[in-house]
Amino acid sequence: MAKRDYYEVLGVAKNASEDDIKKAYRKLAMKYHPDRNQGEKAKEAEEKFKEAKEAYEMLSDAKKRAAYDQYGHAGVDPNMGAGGFRGGPEGFGGFAEAFGDIFGDIFGGQGGGAGGRRGAGGAQVYRGSDLSYAMEITLEEAANGKEAQIRIPSWEECETCHGSGAKPGTSAKTCPTCAGSGTVHLRQGFFSIQQTCPHCHGSGKIIPDPCVTCSGQGKLKKTKTLEVKIPAGIDEGMRIRSAGNGEPGTNGGPPGDLYIEIRLKKHDIFERDGDDLHCTVPIGMVTAALGGSIEVPTLGGAAEIDLPEGTQHGKTFRLRGKGIKGVRSAYPGDLYCHMAVETPVKLTEHQRKLLKELDESFKKGGDRHSPNAKSWTDRVKDLFK
């Protein structure tokens, strides 16, 4: 049976870009993947999958595509002499890398190089892992910002082996499992999956006589002091990224990053809600009844509030601009002061007498002194009618 035109298989025009070809193959690979086609359709889907795979392998390679455009299938047929390429599972001319690239996009990197790339020596190069550091700061430090020093884990080159990992007088050898590439290919049916070599763990080398100082790692774990600038207005849960201060990469790969996660200490007076602050202000019964000016705390010092006569428990006063200016805010938030009317305790006999006289005078005045209590009493009476 004659092979279909590769462009027809992928459903793209002959002048399609590399990106269009890749997108078309990804779509077909998703559609005809064996995991998505079971039962009666499995055989047909497998054939279409293989056909799409072959078409992508040819058209994604510039040299093979040029040969195909000029000579058709004969230009890329391994049985047609010098014009073709070496066939078989091993001879798909770089298909393993394309396969890993495509399936890394589709299945989250399961078929590729786990995010690695090849270094100058051919071994896989991997970026280091990110680190996380929890920093606890006060509310005042969060509002005003600060500069702090933290100690984090670091790696230094082993002075004994000078980073080689091998015992002085010896050297590392090429890994016999992966021949120095740092990766191996596992085959399951028509799948070819590239994975990190389990023998050398991606380094491409093995160390017969490891350095006793660093146990063959070529580096020693240390700690280093890092200067960190905490921006004003930072809030609970925010993170500061310190580029390049994470774990070191493998085989010369770039280091990861350090993320400093902010935690706020519990404050004795204020509670933060975004850019706003809340506080409870205790006031005496007489002050609440007569009103007057009281002093309340803010992060920037004391402020005054004029209490009206008859201020009730739970009354809230808003002080504009007395909150915190967040890192992404143009203006500071507000301070909300919640009044807590306190009942006097440990009264003297004279004070008790005065309060009783005051209570008698309230009773003579009717309900005008306690309108809320009168309303509540009426609702209770209605409930039990």
Side-chain angles (χ1 to χ4, degrees), residues 252-378:
D257 299 328
L258 171 67
Y259 289 90
I260 302 166
E261 299 182 2
I262 298 300
R263 300 286 182 266
L264 292 185
K265 295 180 181 178
K266 183 176 177 59
H267 199 274
D268 292 336
I269 298 175
F270 300 107
E271 289 187 9
R272 182 174 180 176
D273 180 16
D275 292 348
D276 297 328
L277 294 175
H278 294 260
C279 72
T280 299
V281 181
I283 58 174
M285 182 179 67
V286 176
T287 302
L290 301 180
S293 178
I294 64 169
E295 201 172 68
V296 296
T298 73
L299 283 181
E304 286 191 351
I305 292 179
D306 290 326
L307 298 182
E309 183 178 307
T311 297
Q312 298 298 308
H313 177 83
K315 174 71 174 178
T316 300
F317 294 86
R318 177 184 182 186
L319 301 182
R320 294 183 180 274
K322 295 298 184 180
I324 293 177
K325 184 177 180 296
V327 290
R328 299 184 183 92
S329 303
Y331 303 98
D334 302 325
L335 170 62
Y336 292 87
C337 298
H338 307 275
M339 299 298 110
V341 179
E342 290 191 326
T343 302
V345 297
K346 298 181 179 180
L347 299 174
T348 65
E349 287 301 322
H350 178 65
Q351 290 168 336
R352 288 174 184 274
K353 182 180 178 180
L354 292 176
L355 283 178
K356 287 179 179 179
E357 292 177 358
L358 180 63
D359 185 49
E360 288 297 327
S361 68
F362 284 157
K363 290 178 181 178
K364 293 178 182 180
D367 300 323
R368 64 187 183 90
H369 299 298
S370 303
N372 292 335
K374 173 63 171 58
S375 175
W376 182 82
T377 302
D378 291 341

Side-chain angles (χ1 to χ4, degrees), residues 5 17 44 55 57 65 67 81 119 125 196 224 228 242 293 299 320:
D5 180 79
S17 66
E44 180 183 356
E57 195 280 328
R65 183 177 180 180
V125 173
T196 302
K224 70 176 180 180
V228 179
S242 180
S293 178
L299 283 181
R320 294 183 180 274

Side-chain angles (χ1 to χ4, degrees), residues 146-191:
K146 64 174 292 189
E147 292 186 358
Q149 290 185 339
I150 60 174
R151 292 180 65 81
I152 61 172
S154 178
W155 293 87
E156 293 182 3
E157 182 181 281
C158 175
E159 296 181 357
T160 303
C161 65
H162 303 289
S164 69
K167 185 178 180 180
T170 67
S171 61
K173 299 184 181 300
T174 300
C175 175
T177 304
C178 63
S181 67
T183 58
V184 293
H185 291 82
L186 303 179
R187 305 193 182 282
Q188 297 178 351
F190 57 87
F191 284 102

Side-chain angles (χ1 to χ4, degrees), residues 14-304:
K14 290 192 174 183
N15 61 348
S17 66
E18 292 182 8
D19 190 51
D20 290 336
I21 291 173
K22 183 176 181 179
K23 288 179 180 178
Y25 174 59
R26 184 188 293 115
K27 183 177 180 180
L28 291 174
M30 292 279 286
K31 181 177 180 180
Y32 294 117
H33 191 274
D35 290 345
R36 298 190 174 196
N37 296 272
Q38 305 294 330
E40 298 180 357
K41 296 182 179 181
K43 183 64 177 177
E44 180 183 356
E46 181 180 342
E47 292 300 325
K48 289 185 177 294
F49 187 89
K50 290 180 179 180
E51 185 181 43
K53 180 182 67 172
E54 180 181 338
Y56 173 75
E57 195 280 328
M58 299 301 172
L59 299 184
S60 63
D61 185 285
K63 292 183 179 179
K64 295 172 189 173
R65 183 177 180 180
Y68 178 74
D69 288 343
Q70 185 172 2
Y71 301 106
H73 289 292
V76 292
D77 191 333
N79 299 316
M80 296 298 291
F85 67 96
R86 185 166 56 90
E90 303 296 332
F92 268 73
F95 171 68
E97 292 184 6
F99 182 87
D101 181 31
I102 286 293
F103 279 83
D105 291 337
I106 297 176
F107 301 108
Q110 295 300 320
R117 59 180 175 81
R118 294 197 179 278
Q124 288 293 108
V125 173
Y126 298 96
R127 178 181 179 274
S129 300
D130 294 333
L131 293 178
S132 178
Y133 181 94
M135 175 183 285
E136 193 176 49
I137 61 176
T138 65
L139 183 63
E140 288 82 0
E141 290 170 340
N144 302 317
K146 64 174 292 189
E147 292 186 358
Q149 290 185 339
I150 60 174
R151 292 180 65 81
I152 61 172
S154 178
W155 293 87
E156 293 182 3
E157 182 181 281
C158 175
E159 296 181 357
T160 303
C161 65
H162 303 289
S164 69
K167 185 178 180 180
T170 67
S171 61
K173 299 184 181 300
T174 300
C175 175
T177 304
C178 63
S181 67
T183 58
V184 293
H185 291 82
L186 303 179
R187 305 193 182 282
Q188 297 178 351
F190 57 87
F191 284 102
S192 176
I193 303 175
Q194 180 177 281
Q195 292 185 344
T196 302
C197 175
H199 193 190
C200 66
H201 305 290
S203 67
K205 296 180 179 180
I206 59 172
I207 303 174
D209 297 309
C211 171
V212 295
T213 303
C214 63
S215 300
Q217 296 188 73
K219 54 191 177 183
L220 295 173
K221 199 167 189 177
K222 304 287 186 179
T223 57
K224 70 176 180 180
T225 301
L226 188 67
E227 298 282 345
V228 179
K229 185 175 182 179
I230 308 299
I234 198 165
D235 202 356
E236 172 84 19
M238 289 185 174
R239 300 196 305 172
I240 300 172
R241 175 173 171 264
S242 180
N245 281 307
E247 291 281 359
T250 302
N251 298 332
D257 299 328
L258 171 67
Y259 289 90
I260 302 166
E261 299 182 2
I262 298 300
R263 300 286 182 266
L264 292 185
K265 295 180 181 178
K266 183 176 177 59
H267 199 274
D268 292 336
I269 298 175
F270 300 107
E271 289 187 9
R272 182 174 180 176
D273 180 16
D275 292 348
D276 297 328
L277 294 175
H278 294 260
C279 72
T280 299
V281 181
I283 58 174
M285 182 179 67
V286 176
T287 302
L290 301 180
S293 178
I294 64 169
E295 201 172 68
V296 296
T298 73
L299 283 181
E304 286 191 351

